[in-house]
Amino acid sequence: MQAEIFVYLDIDVKNQEELFDYVSKKMVKDGYAKADYFAGLIQREQEYPTGLKTEALATAIPHTEMAFILKPFIAVVRLTNPIEFTHMMKGESVLAEVIFFLGISQAAQQLTTIQKVLSLITDKEAVQRIMSADDAAQIKSLMSVG
């Protein structure tokens, strides 16, 4: 099953918890995640941080165990102000501007979904288009390529 793409532009949150709450409520309401998705995000982020800084973008790729996901999705959130995440390998702080929530419901989807996001966040031109997009459709079209 193809992952549904959700895009939320210029979201104003103060920290990870507010961001996770915002996205969790949307995914649960739309039937893509279970009611305890928020708790799953918090727990997974504490155990396995998802911050990442590429040459093109400071980002994070939060996700949960597959048990929390009902239908596959990728939720792209562009923030009005960066929020702090911990780098997934270095343990240092990353001020993330665009966050990619991965809702992976089957192991077979994991590699292709992660590859899609990684290729996007390392592409300077694509990142520039994400940062300057006026509407969600522009980012959805970038996510659909490939």
Side-chain angles (χ1 to χ4, degrees):
M1 181 185 290
Q2 181 92 9
E4 185 70 30
I5 309 293
F6 295 91
V7 178
Y8 306 104
L9 298 178
D10 305 324
I11 303 306
D12 186 20
V13 293
K14 293 178 179 34
N15 55 44
Q16 276 183 30
E17 188 170 331
E18 281 186 21
L19 175 64
F20 289 1
D21 184 58
Y22 177 87
V23 172
S24 295
K25 285 177 179 170
K26 298 235 180 243
M27 294 300 99
V28 170
K29 179 179 172 277
D30 291 342
Y32 283 82
K34 294 182 180 177
D36 54 355
Y37 176 63
F38 173 79
L41 280 172
I42 295 289
Q43 181 181 351
R44 179 79 182 203
E45 192 67 31
Q46 288 172 349
E47 292 174 12
Y48 305 101
T50 62
L52 186 62
K53 188 165 178 139
T54 70
E55 199 174 306
L57 181 69
T59 187
I61 310 173
H63 53 282
T64 62
E65 299 298 329
M66 292 176 207
F68 294 98
I69 307 303
L70 296 171
K71 296 187 280 188
F73 67 87
I74 299 173
V76 183
V77 182
R78 186 178 71 195
L79 302 172
T80 54
N81 297 298
I83 61 171
E84 187 174 348
F85 278 80
T86 301
H87 193 286
M88 63 176 63
M89 291 181 273
K90 299 178 183 177
E92 62 194 30
S93 177
V94 174
L95 290 176
E97 305 169 87
V98 179
I99 318 301
F100 296 85
F101 287 82
L102 306 184
I104 299 169
S105 61
Q106 298 175 1
Q109 302 163 333
Q110 191 166 4
L111 185 58
T112 56
T113 304
I114 291 171
Q115 285 175 333
K116 178 184 282 192
V117 172
L118 289 176
S119 68
L120 193 67
I121 64 174
T122 56
D123 180 334
K124 287 182 183 179
E125 184 180 317
V127 167
Q128 189 173 29
R129 288 170 59 193
I130 290 170
M131 297 308 289
S132 64
D134 294 325
D135 62 44
Q138 293 171 312
I139 293 175
K140 276 188 178 186
S141 70
L142 281 173
M143 294 299 298
S144 299
V145 173

